[in-house]
């Protein structure tokens, strides 16, 4: 079954172009919305698998709409597609539960590939966006919170989020609630990050993180 997509952008030509692109590559474009409020109503009614969300819209902004979209359609993954790659927007989007943050400068084929990845549980980040996020995570918000490059470079953005929440002593259910994802998805991310770090348990992962921090 084709993944269903809701496209949210205030420019009609952009919506039409994205809709045509995704339809050509096997996605089912079930709806379009021009602002945040319309997007929330459409998400509640259509229950799409993916929401492609622009941040810069009149009225309710994409960042404000993002967590409400996740509540309206709990099974959806929201991917931000925007011209703005500012660090503030990036971190706000990820904290709001976005599964991806893509720049409109990406080639069309890359956008399609990123969305396919998200539909299979991956995190989608444009190259320069990923670098900014990794730099932010490596610097950390306070002493001892940073993730050294030896750890950060091995993990995806979402796996880094999960690792940092594990470091805050949160369990699977709490992480799922914090990231607005299922417990099954949390376990999948944990399994993946353990494999990438070459450890067999959450405790060993945190020990490796601690050792890397020195």
């Amino acid at each position: 079954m084709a993944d269903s997509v809701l496209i949210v952008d205030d420019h009609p030509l952009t919506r039409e172009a994205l809709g045509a692109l995704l339809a050509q590559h096997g996605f089912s474009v079930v709806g379009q919305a021009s602002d945040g409020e319309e997007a929330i109503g459409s998400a509640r009614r259509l229950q799409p698998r993916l929401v492609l969300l622009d941040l810069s819209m009149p009225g309710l902004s994409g960042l404000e709409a993002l967590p409400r979209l996740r509540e309206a359609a709990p099974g959806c993954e929201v991917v931000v597609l925007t011209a703005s790659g500012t660090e503030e927007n990036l971190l706000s989007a990820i904290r709001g539960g976005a599964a991806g943050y893509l720049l409109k400068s990406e080639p069309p084929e890359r956008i399609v590939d990123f969305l396919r990845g998200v539909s299979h549980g991956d995190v989608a980040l444009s190259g320069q966006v990923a670098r900014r996020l990794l730099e932010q995570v490596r610097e950390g918000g306070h002493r001892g919170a940073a993730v050294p490059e030896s750890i950060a470079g091995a993990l995806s953005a979402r796996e880094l989020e999960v690792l940092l929440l594990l470091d805050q002593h949160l369990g699977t259910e709490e992480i799922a609630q914090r990231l607005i994802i299922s417990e099954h998805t949390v376990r999948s991310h944990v399994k993946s990050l353990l494999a990438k770090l070459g450890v067999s348990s959450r405790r060993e992962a945190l020990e490796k993180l601690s050792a890397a921090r020195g």
Side-chain angles (χ1 to χ4, degrees):
M1 179 182 294
D3 286 315
S4 56
V5 185
L6 170 65
I7 298 173
V8 185
D9 196 293
D10 63 331
H11 295 289
L13 290 178
T14 300
R15 295 198 305 270
E16 292 298 329
L18 287 170
L21 171 69
L22 297 180
Q24 288 172 3
H25 288 83
F27 290 89
S28 174
V29 181
V30 295
Q32 298 182 9
S34 60
D35 58 49
E37 291 290 357
E38 183 182 0
I40 293 166
S42 296
R44 182 175 294 111
R45 183 178 73 257
L46 299 169
Q47 295 297 308
R49 176 72 183 86
L50 300 168
V51 177
L52 197 54
L53 175 69
D54 186 26
L55 292 187
S56 303
M57 296 181 292
L60 188 69
S61 73
L63 286 177
E64 293 170 324
L66 204 163
R68 292 175 60 185
L69 283 168
R70 298 295 308 278
E71 292 175 2
C76 81
E77 294 286 6
V78 179
V79 177
V80 169
L81 180 64
T82 182
S84 172
T86 65
E87 182 176 290
E88 180 181 359
N89 283 345
L90 165 63
L91 295 176
S92 295
I94 291 175
R95 292 188 185 110
Y101 195 106
L102 305 179
L103 300 180
K104 289 184 175 179
S105 56
E106 287 284 356
E109 296 77 12
R110 289 277 289 165
I111 292 175
V112 170
D113 289 342
F114 275 129
L115 286 180
R116 283 177 176 154
V118 169
S119 71
H120 290 89
D122 294 337
V123 174
L125 294 174
S126 291
Q128 59 181 285
V129 171
R131 285 192 293 273
R132 287 177 185 169
L133 178 61
L134 290 179
E135 288 169 2
Q136 176 72 16
V137 172
R138 287 165 185 161
E139 290 170 1
H142 54 81
R143 183 176 178 84
V147 178
E149 187 169 356
S150 60
I151 301 290
L155 305 179
S156 71
R158 183 50 63 90
E159 288 163 356
L160 281 171
E161 283 188 294
V162 172
L163 179 62
L164 288 172
L165 292 174
L166 289 174
D167 193 40
Q168 295 177 32
H169 308 293
L170 298 186
T172 299
E173 182 179 358
E174 293 169 304
I175 294 173
Q177 292 173 351
R178 183 76 64 88
L179 299 180
I180 320 180
I181 58 178
S182 70
E183 292 183 35
H184 173 74
T185 301
V186 173
R187 294 188 187 96
S188 294
H189 287 312
V190 171
K191 181 179 180 180
S192 179
L193 74 86
L194 293 181
K196 290 180 179 180
L197 296 180
V199 296
S200 58
S201 69
R202 301 182 183 199
R203 178 182 56 79
E204 290 180 3
L206 294 179
E207 289 175 350
K208 187 164 186 174
L209 174 61
S210 178
R213 284 171 172 166

